[in-house]
DNA sequence: CTGTTAGCGCTTTCAT
DNA sequence: ATGAAAGCGCTAACAG
């Protein structure tokens, strides 16, 4: 019989004040730890009202908060989801598309008792990322950027973790069975914008995309081409790269292109930010929008209307995407498998003054 | 002597495939778990090269990833930090100020082996928030909005958790000793903008702030007033509320105010988004900026230059704030106390064309 | 209704 | 240089 008071947990005494445990609450309420656990977990039918009350006052007296690691260890469930954003820039939350997805996902998970672990990371260092090296969550979510080969490498790397995986904005059916891909209809949205431009008389189109190829951008380019398809001989298309896609790069790229090759009669910008930069540069250059040249944006997050004239664009369901993706993921955790492996959400055409 | 193979951990078999543990790796490498643990933790001097190699191949053979909950439980450290964003709107990441802080914080923590748990929450439900109810992180970070009394209540609630606390954009010295507050010099920035406007001849000023009082906005209003101070009799100031601060609300509020009370000769907007909405409305209304009326923004995140004319504004060190705050917090976790309790970062005046 | 036992995966301590 | 034991806080299973 070991005297339990003689225990010498020196490692555990490193902490200044250890936060209260079930045992401490149990001692104060003069019940066993199991009874306290039952109170904490709402199994009120297992005890008398008197006991429950005594335990509850002990809980609030010491402000007991359940230690996640004990529970997780015991249940082999972390009640946490990792969201990995692969972006070469440290400002991995700069795009409102991403923040809307993250907000939707985080809110949904929070309501359901799961926390969201957020990490931005470059593709090169993805194998060093905490969420990959350590096993601290129940599943991964992934938002990718970069060339197709880079994204493929990232996908395979994350898939090696053998955890459920939710991929945003990219098809991923071939990575395994425990994967779900959710994205918006970039193809359809881009096609719709293109048809709209052609209807308005544009024949000499340009897409203005950042150098870093997000999968959604590739999808949009395909959408543009498919809409042009039937009119291939009457409609011309060039691709202009606008560097990082920020204000300065976009304007510089456009200036250089105009110099070398002249201007198209319509520009499909990769997103609203790029569209606005282009629009402003054109007007400074003496062009009238939409009279001389038409411009479209993409995604419509608040500042699509900052420009003058207001952009014609396409509304993105990014917030819903986070939410729906989260629901699908928890469904997977509870049932053992994904109900769907591919989800595509519709976008909404939104006409402005720039076309 | 219990036969260990007779164990019946049915609860642990719920999982389809349990991820590999130290024990499994140890068995494959024919060493004890301690040796594997030593390899994982880089204590290479404790073993022969041969042993190390055998263990390392076993590790990569099964793709072993350390289970965070076991480690956390044993070490009484979670290696995770919670970031709570108190916002009545579900789009708690809508403001680029916040996303920059979060990105800076997350990147810094990630490099140092800590994960970032992100949660948005309304003030009313803060007591239900996962990060508050459960003890799953080593510290809290807090970004607040709302009236002073609401913020105070939130602060007290979070402080009850008795964990180290890093508060962004709000003084918090009176909440306890285990708290650090980090913010930008909103007061100074606003004062500088105000002096600039007055120098350019403005005498009839308005601040255009959203209804929801973020602490930084209060600070900016005080900055404006302090700059006016010495000229109180020559300079007039009104406060215009612009509802949620989004595009539509801002323009509606401005229209209503103009109708009732006419227009000031300078507007200090609460941020760049509001400034741009105001600027566009004024131009549509036939006013020339800056000739008839001058406008300033605040924070300068990318789209400050979207407007035409470009906004005069103030650059926010939001990303650095996240990073420096994170450093201060880890320092606290390692040393047992905060080195500093108040950190104020400078902002940078950035002249545009709107003043 | 309440309590006891065992063990989740890990790392510190101590023994070999 | 390597291993055995103990226990962090929690909950399923079972016993009373």
């Amino acid at each position: 019989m070991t005297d339990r008071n003689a225990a010498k947990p020196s490692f555990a005494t490193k902490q200044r004040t250890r936060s209260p445990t079930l045992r401490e609450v149990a001692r104060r309420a003069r019940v066993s730890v199991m009874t306290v656990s039952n109170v904490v977990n709402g199994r009120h039918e297992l005890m008398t009202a008197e006991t429950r009350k005594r335990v509850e006052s002990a809980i609030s007296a010491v402000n007991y908060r359940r230690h996640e690691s004990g529970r997780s260890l015991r249940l082999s469930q972390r009640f946490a989801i990792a969201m990995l954003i692969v972006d070469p820039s440290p400002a991995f939350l700069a795009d409102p598309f991403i923040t809307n997805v993250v907000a939707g996902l985080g809110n949904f998970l929070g309501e359901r008792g799961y926390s969201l672990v957020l990490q931005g990371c470059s593709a090169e260092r993805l194998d060093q990322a905490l969420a990959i090296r350590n096993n601290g969550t129940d599943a991964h979510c992934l938002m990718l950027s970069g060339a197709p080969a880079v994204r493929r490498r990232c996908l395979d790397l994350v898939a090696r973790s053998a955890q459920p995986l939710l991929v945003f904005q990219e098809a991923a059916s071939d990575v395994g069975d425990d994967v779900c891909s959710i994205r918006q209809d970039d193809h359809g949205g881009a096609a719709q914008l293109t048809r709209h431009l052609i209807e308005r008389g544009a024949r000499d189109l340009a897409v203005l995309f950042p150098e870093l190829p997000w999968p959604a951008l590739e999808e949009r380019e395909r959408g543009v081409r498919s809409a042009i398809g039937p009119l291939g001989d009457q409609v011309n298309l060039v691709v202009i790269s606008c560097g990082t896609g920020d204000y300065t790069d976009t304007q510089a790229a456009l200036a250089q292109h105009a110099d070398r090759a002249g201007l198209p009669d319509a520009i499909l910008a990769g997103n609203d930010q790029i569209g606005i930069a282009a629009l402003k540069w054109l007007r400074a250059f003496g062009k009238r929008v939409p009279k001389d040249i038409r411009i479209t944006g993409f995604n419509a997050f608040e500042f699509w209307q900052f420009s003058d004239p207001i952009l014609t664009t396409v509304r993105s369901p990014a917030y819903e995407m986070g939410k729906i993706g989260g629901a699908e993921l928890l469904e997977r955790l509870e049932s053992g498998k994904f109900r769907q492996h591919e989800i595509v959400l519709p976008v909404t055409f939104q006409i402005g003054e720039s076309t």
Side-chain angles (χ1 to χ4, degrees), chain A residues 249-315:
Chain A
D249 281 15
T250 300
Q251 298 201 335
L254 208 51
Q256 204 192 344
H257 179 86
D259 222 38
R260 237 186 21 238
L263 284 170
D265 56 15
I267 292 179
L268 291 129
N271 60 37
D272 293 343
Q273 299 95 300
I274 295 173
I276 293 179
L279 192 153
K280 285 202 61 182
W281 181 83
L282 288 167
R283 295 193 70 194
F285 195 67
K287 295 288 174 186
R288 286 161 305 175
V289 177
K291 195 132 200 262
D292 302 327
I293 182 164
R294 298 169 209 280
I295 304 188
T296 62
F298 216 102
N299 278 352
F301 298 115
E302 183 165 29
F303 47 68
W304 63 274
Q305 49 195 352
F306 281 7
S307 68
D308 192 7
I310 284 176
L311 277 180
T312 290
T313 184
V314 145
R315 202 191 81 81

Side-chain angles (χ1 to χ4, degrees), chain A residues 82 84 117-121 125-137 140:
Chain A
L84 272 162
V117 175
L118 184 66
Q119 180 162 29
C121 189
R125 293 198 198 140
L126 185 58
D127 57 342
Q128 309 293 337
L130 228 54
I132 298 295
R133 293 184 75 81
N134 289 349
N135 186 350
T137 57
H140 288 311

Side-chain angles (χ1 to χ4, degrees), chain A residues 83 85-87 89-95 98-99 118-121 214:
Chain A
M83 169 95 198
I85 298 171
V86 175
D87 188 328
S89 147
F92 63 92
L93 286 176
D95 195 301
I98 290 179
T99 63
L118 184 66
Q119 180 162 29
C121 189
W214 291 80

Side-chain angles (χ1 to χ4, degrees), chain A residues 172-213:
Chain A
S173 48
D174 54 344
V175 190
D177 196 45
D178 207 4
V179 179
C180 174
S181 147
I182 183 166
R183 52 207 160 87
Q184 65 184 17
D185 186 12
D186 288 293
H187 188 283
Q192 195 166 4
L193 289 173
T194 306
R195 285 193 301 272
H196 168 74
L197 288 171
I198 292 174
E199 267 168 30
R200 300 249 160 149
R203 290 295 175 269
D204 200 10
L205 308 183
V207 296
L208 182 58
F209 281 2
E211 204 143 20
L212 186 73

